[in-house]
Amino acid sequence: MATSASAYENDIKNLKATELTLGLPGTHLQQNVPIIDQEKSSASSSSNKRPLQLSHEETSPAQDCGSKCSNIAKNTDDDAAPPPSKAKIVGWPPIRSYRKNSLQEQSEAAGGIYVKVSMDGAPYLRKIDLKIYGGYPQLLKALENMFKLTIGEYSEKEGYKGSDYAPTYEDKDGDWMLVGDVPWDMFVTSCKRLRIMKGSEARGLGCAV
Amino acid sequence: MKKAAYSFPEEVLEHVFSFIISDKDRSSISLVCKSWYEIERWCRRKVFVGNCYAVSPPILIKRFPELRSVTLKGKPHFADFNLVPEGWGGFACPWIRAMAGAYPWLEEIRLKRMVVSDESLEIIAKSFRNFKVLVLSSCEGFTTEGLAAIAANCRNLRELDLRESEVEDLSGRWLSDFPDSYTSLESLNISCLGNEVNLLALERLVSRCPNLKTLRLNRAVPLDRLPNLLRGAPQLAELGTGAYTSEMRPDVFSNLAEAFAGCKQLKTLSGFWDVLPSYLPAVYPICSQLISLNLSYATVQSPELIKLVSLCEKLQKLWVLDYIEDDGLEVLAASCKDLRELRVFPSDPFGLEPNVALTEQGLVSVSEGCPKLQSVLYFCRQMSNAALNTIARNRPNLTRFRLCIIEPRSPDYLTLQPLDDGFGAIVEHCKDLRRLSLSGLLTDRVFEYIGTYGKKLEMLSVAFAGDSDLGLHHVLSGCDNLRKLEIRDCPFGDKALLANAAKLETMRSLWMSSCSVSFGACKVLGQKMPRLNVEVMDESGPPDSRPESSPVEKLYVYRTVAGPRLDMPGFVWTMDDDSALRIS
């Protein structure tokens, strides 16, 4: 009766050998964590942008989660493969259809602009609706509350000085920008996702390319 | 001495029996002796039929000639999750027709998971002069035309509750068919309707029914019409709002807040589709009187969500989305010491990554802080044996525990072990546990725990679990009070099923889909057990076109005194002793 569990563990170990991971060697769990696509910094086409220089390995390993983190099959090629899609199992998770429909309808009906927010070191991806914020101050406040941190004040020259964190976003062209660089309305329509960077790259931001 | 037993006249016994309401007790009375059986059946007024195919209309009517209230349930529970194909059964019509003839004084009909046609509703509307209560729970097959017939004809209607039914919404006009002279409405639940109802008619109806206690609106009722409705029914105890959003205007807000404040009896709130967070404070004045709050459609996040919940100190029941997160559940645990039931639904059930910070910790907090917690339904993405152990020890008073770890076969995320021990702790410590739903990585060992400790367990739901027939055998042989067992995608097969065939006659039903039960075993079971209906469902064709050893797609076994049913669709076969295979 214990065989299935150990067979399962063996499978995990075998898989582990072939996977590229975010976690430290030795951390291995089935837990799903956000798959943060690593994209090369693209050559900026617009002169107004200050794209961030990103390299493949610069995301800090999710050390904070310790044993909570898991292996993710990661593809660091130029053509980043989409995250493994799952065949949907009929009737799973066990939720009534009217519930599922209602959630879907609400996100569509509200006309919300939902973007994913990830933070370096946090195991959870969040989704926020940009439409509900009136401007940058509200958005930043919300992010601070959500992730329990201080982001600090934005300055065009120096970025988010005095903070270990910098909110960045990926825009329509695939460039990573500092939140606050462009007028709010332009930001709302061009932002594809948010990422709160931490550590050295955060402090290094703000310098014009 | 014998004489003493017969010295009570029937009328006296009848009077005594009238104080016995529970079905179980009534059943016990009827078994005492023949004369008590006779007296009891003539004065039984209320009957609950948990499986409409366990008995037939003629049998029911013959035994109980004077019923006033009938409750019927149709499809198996897994129909809720689309596991039962369209057309399977659960048709209300034959019952309604039969009752229309036999019970002219019928007052209440409650149906769950049944197919109800407009024709049936018309028959109800025209046949029962004193009709008072119609509850259609998770039903389908009817339109607003059928509702119009009810509205137009049922002069004494008290309750019309369409909870979670699928109604073809042709027009909101039906509400206007309640005559102006009609004032007896006490409870109205139209929350499942898709289209707008005639709002003026609704307002007039609400304000002319002084005993209206429950009003659950549908999403299409705009927020700015809510104050008027509330003012028309200040005695309301249960309210389901419509869409909870509107252009943010101070006058609309204050109107709403005032209207809420005027409802001093309001104890239950639900609805809250499309919530605009800035409108939530309008309900703050009544939060302290709420005992039940259903925010499971409210896509509102912290901090507004947490603030709202923290004000409801008398809360006994909370249904909410996982936007509440661990932090919010901690606040819940600190604020709502009277909490009895918690349901946390997933906001993004098909997402591959977690989108909220809700883990096992939230449930642990609530189990620590809420001493009266009895009933739990919790969707999450990680669990540990340690957490389950803590929950079990904190809350031995749990009676319903349904955990859904979204990814099938997820192990304990800390140890990578199966969650056998954790669920084992639940059944061991929660001695009054009646309902349990399992998830995560589980071996046969969890079933051994369940068979050993789950002595009061009545309903068990299992998915993607176990290793062998031994698992199923533990449950069937150990759980003395098991009534409903539903299993999907588990490696359970013939041996355990056939070895415990007799057990199945003590249960209401057994569902097994995507398991390893062979067609041959189903035939044997059907032949051996004439008082069971053994139904095989297979949408890929007749099971006898494949080898006897091939597993059946779906198996539904239930006890019955009515023999095999005659309304099976083409993909359902019954295994009975007449012929091994009969296609209806």
Side-chain angles (χ1 to χ4, degrees):
Chain A
M1 272 200 284
T3 49
S4 75
S6 47
Y8 180 86
E9 282 175 48
N10 278 332
D11 286 346
I12 290 275
K13 289 191 181 116
N14 290 335
L15 276 178
K16 188 176 177 296
T18 59
E19 284 176 357
L20 297 162
T21 79
L22 263 193
L24 289 174
T27 61
H28 51 88
L29 270 184
Q30 185 68 354
Q31 176 65 12
N32 286 327
V33 295
I35 295 168
I36 304 166
D37 285 342
Q38 293 303 301
E39 292 178 341
K40 290 186 349 175
S41 58
S42 55
S44 167
S45 48
S46 152
S47 54
N48 290 347
K49 295 197 220 177
R50 286 185 300 179
L52 310 168
Q53 296 298 328
L54 297 181
S55 69
H56 292 307
E57 291 309 314
E58 92 291 29
T59 43
S60 52
Q63 284 138 323
D64 303 354
C65 343
S67 59
K68 284 190 192 170
C69 298
S70 83
N71 296 333
I72 319 168
K74 292 261 302 74
N75 190 330
T76 55
D77 293 330
D78 290 349
D79 317 304
S85 66
K86 269 205 330 231
K88 273 201 194 162
I89 306 170
V90 175
W92 193 266
I95 303 170
R96 305 284 306 272
S97 358
Y98 65 80
R99 256 184 214 292
K100 285 186 260 178
N101 296 342
S102 170
L103 285 173
Q104 201 171 338
E105 280 166 33
Q106 285 188 78
S107 61
E108 284 162 17
I113 302 175
Y114 287 90
V115 296
K116 294 188 181 176
V117 188
S118 61
M119 182 172 92
D120 295 351
Y124 300 104
L125 203 65
R126 314 291 290 271
K127 258 192 220 159
I128 58 171
D129 178 2
L130 289 181
K131 258 204 167 174
I132 68 178
Y133 304 107
Y136 284 120
Q138 290 96 318
L139 171 64
L140 295 174
K141 190 89 201 294
L143 292 177
E144 286 181 334
N145 282 337
M146 213 180 278
F147 293 100
K148 317 270 190 291
L149 43 80
T150 340
I151 293 179
E153 299 233 342
Y154 172 78
S155 93
E156 196 170 322
K157 271 218 187 125
E158 297 172 301
Y160 289 88
K161 213 173 90 153
S163 165
D164 262 358
Y165 298 95
T168 66
Y169 71 100
E170 184 189 4
D171 74 0
K172 280 200 188 124
D173 300 331
D175 297 322
W176 285 88
M177 314 276 286
L178 197 61
V179 167
D181 276 357
V182 304
W184 172 256
D185 291 329
M186 187 191 285
F187 163 74
V188 163
T189 51
S190 64
C191 171
K192 265 172 46 185
R193 75 177 105 192
L194 285 160
R195 175 185 154 202
I196 302 183
M197 289 171 73
K198 186 184 168 179
S200 49
E201 321 105 283
R203 279 188 283 278
L205 293 174
C207 312
V209 170
Chain B
M1 288 303 107
K2 232 194 205 172
K3 263 208 168 161
Y6 293 91
S7 64
F8 275 129
E10 261 183 41
E11 297 79 31
V12 175
L13 279 173
E14 245 191 68
H15 182 69
V16 172
F17 291 172
S18 69
F19 293 100
I20 314 290
I21 312 172
S22 108
D23 294 320
K24 266 185 106 187
D25 292 341
R26 278 274 175 168
S27 201
S28 305
I29 292 175
S30 67
L31 293 172
V32 167
C33 62
K34 279 200 180 137
S35 65
W36 279 36
Y37 177 94
E38 276 302 304
I39 298 168
E40 194 281 318
R41 75 182 188 88
W42 278 95
C43 68
R44 176 95 65 113
R45 296 287 173 260
K46 199 170 166 164
V47 139
F48 169 82
V49 180
N51 173 8
C52 64
Y53 291 118
V55 73
S56 69
I59 294 175
L60 180 76
I61 291 168
K62 183 161 181 228
R63 179 171 174 190
F64 300 116
E66 300 274 341
L67 293 180
R68 299 276 183 276
S69 162
V70 175
T71 303
L72 298 171
K73 289 187 172 183
K75 301 185 205 169
H77 173 237
F78 273 176
D80 283 356
F81 314 126
N82 302 328
L83 287 176
V84 175
E86 191 86 21
W88 174 86
F91 304 109
C93 203
W95 287 91
I96 308 248
R97 277 188 200 279
M99 294 193 297
Y103 302 131
W105 297 109
L106 192 67
E107 294 176 4
E108 305 181 354
I109 293 177
R110 293 179 173 84
L111 305 176
K112 184 165 184 177
R113 282 190 210 100
M114 294 194 77
V115 179
V116 183
S117 60
D118 281 346
E119 189 196 346
S120 298
L121 293 178
E122 278 152 31
I123 294 175
I124 292 174
K126 307 257 171 69
S127 312
F128 309 114
R129 244 166 298 155
N130 206 19
F131 196 67
K132 296 197 175 126
V133 173
L134 182 63
V135 178
L136 300 174
S137 174
S138 305
C139 294
E140 51 165 351
F142 59 102
T143 77
T144 40
E145 291 302 299
L147 297 178
I150 299 284
N153 293 287
C154 299
R155 299 297 149 106
N156 294 309
L157 193 70
R158 304 262 163 92
E159 190 172 328
L160 178 61
D161 185 338
L162 306 174
R163 59 178 83 154
E164 299 166 16
S165 290
E166 247 180 70
V167 186
E168 198 183 329
D169 198 335
L170 301 172
S171 126
R173 201 193 35 77
W174 66 275
L175 206 67
S176 322
D177 287 337
F178 282 109
D180 290 336
S181 54
Y182 167 73
T183 58
S184 46
L185 193 64
E186 289 176 21
S187 171
L188 181 67
N189 180 352
I190 53 168
S191 53
C192 60
L193 293 182
N195 294 339
E196 216 179 77
V197 288
N198 183 330
L199 290 172
L200 270 172
L202 179 63
E203 272 174 37
R204 279 195 247 112
L205 178 65
V206 164
S207 52
R208 71 173 182 269
C209 294
N211 296 321
L212 188 69
K213 287 287 185 318
T214 299
L215 178 64
R216 299 199 201 269
L217 305 168
N218 61 336
R219 192 166 164 195
V221 175
L223 189 60
D224 54 4
R225 300 298 283 262
L226 191 55
N228 260 3
L229 286 163
L230 292 180
R231 284 204 189 88
Q235 74 285 356
L236 218 53
E238 302 185 328
L239 172 74
T241 73
Y244 202 78
T245 184
S246 181
E247 211 184 296
M248 186 47 185
R249 283 173 23 218
D251 56 323
V252 173
F253 180 89
S254 54
N255 200 11
L256 186 63
E258 232 180 87
F260 270 120
C263 293
K264 307 270 184 229
Q265 324 259 15
L266 205 49
K267 298 250 179 344
T268 299
L269 274 184
S270 60
F272 292 105
W273 287 278
D274 312 307
V275 173
L276 187 66
S278 30
Y279 271 111
L280 281 178
V283 304
Y284 287 175
I286 50 151
C287 281
S288 58
Q289 56 195 66
L290 290 181
I291 59 170
S292 172
L293 185 56
N294 182 350
L295 294 169
S296 61
Y297 299 109
T299 51
V300 60
Q301 315 204 11
S302 330
E304 294 89 355
L305 181 56
I306 299 185
K307 169 79 194 228
L308 179 62
V309 163
S310 69
L311 293 174
C312 302
E313 31 178 63
K314 294 214 182 78
L315 208 58
Q316 294 179 12
K317 178 164 135 179
L318 176 66
W319 290 21
V320 73
L321 286 170
D322 55 10
Y323 288 129
I324 191 143
E325 298 187 321
D326 290 343
D327 283 352
L329 291 176
E330 210 178 306
V331 172
L332 178 71
S335 321
C336 305
K337 294 303 184 185
D338 218 15
L339 196 71
R340 322 267 161 112
E341 177 177 330
L342 174 67
R343 295 196 190 190
V344 179
F345 296 95
S347 53
D348 188 15
F350 301 112
L352 293 176
E353 316 116 350
N355 63 322
V356 290
L358 179 104
T359 68
E360 81 284 7
Q361 186 49 48
L363 187 55
V364 170
S365 306
V366 178
S367 77
E368 268 160 14
C370 300
K372 300 203 190 145
L373 187 70
Q374 282 176 356
S375 173
V376 169
L377 169 63
Y378 199 75
F379 283 82
C380 61
R381 288 171 194 272
Q382 70 184 42
M383 187 48 63
S384 66
N385 283 308
L388 284 171
N389 210 307
T390 305
I391 292 165
R393 281 167 203 278
N394 285 342
R395 289 277 64 78
N397 50 326
L398 285 173
T399 55
R400 290 179 203 82
F401 189 72
R402 296 157 72 186
L403 180 68
C404 178
I405 307 165
I406 291 181
E407 177 69 27
R409 303 193 184 90
S410 299
D412 176 326
Y413 77 96
L414 294 170
T415 64
L416 272 202
Q417 294 302 303
L419 290 169
D420 298 336
D421 288 341
F423 279 105
I426 295 279
V427 288
E428 185 184 345
H429 293 278
C430 305
K431 304 207 190 297
D432 290 320
L433 196 69
R434 295 197 306 264
R435 184 166 180 183
L436 178 64
S437 299
L438 306 173
S439 57
L441 181 66
L442 297 164
T443 73
D444 283 347
R445 209 153 53 102
V446 73
F447 299 108
E448 194 180 345
Y449 287 134
I450 292 173
T452 305
Y453 295 110
K455 294 306 181 189
K456 299 261 184 74
L457 201 60
E458 296 178 7
M459 182 167 178
L460 179 65
S461 309
V462 187
F464 307 104
D467 311 307
S468 75
D469 272 43
L470 204 50
L472 179 57
H473 176 69
H474 284 310
V475 172
L476 289 177
S477 58
C479 297
D480 300 331
N481 280 294
L482 195 63
R483 292 190 297 117
K484 290 180 276 185
L485 179 58
E486 47 186 26
I487 302 172
R488 62 163 296 175
D489 294 275
C490 296
F492 299 148
D494 303 343
K495 279 198 300 215
L497 193 61
L498 293 176
N500 291 283
K503 170 74 175 176
L504 299 178
E505 264 190 24
T506 70
M507 292 166 52
R508 183 187 295 175
S509 64
L510 167 69
W511 167 283
M512 292 179 74
S513 57
S514 307
C515 295
S516 314
V517 180
S518 73
F519 174 54
C522 294
K523 279 202 285 188
V524 169
L525 188 63
Q527 283 155 8
K528 252 177 73 170
M529 311 291 298
R531 284 184 301 205
L532 294 179
N533 276 357
V534 179
E535 293 181 10
V536 166
M537 253 176 274
D538 214 317
E539 287 180 286
S540 56
D544 65 349
S545 62
R546 287 180 288 285
E548 290 228 337
S549 56
S550 29
V552 300
E553 220 173 73
K554 294 171 185 167
L555 172 66
Y556 186 51
V557 181
Y558 55 90
R559 67 180 175 188
T560 181
V561 295
R565 59 184 176 113
L566 302 169
D567 60 358
M568 290 176 295
F571 53 85
V572 179
W573 289 268
T574 188
M575 316 279 111
D576 68 359
D577 52 3
D578 256 8
S579 60
L581 189 66
R582 183 200 295 164
I583 305 168
S584 76

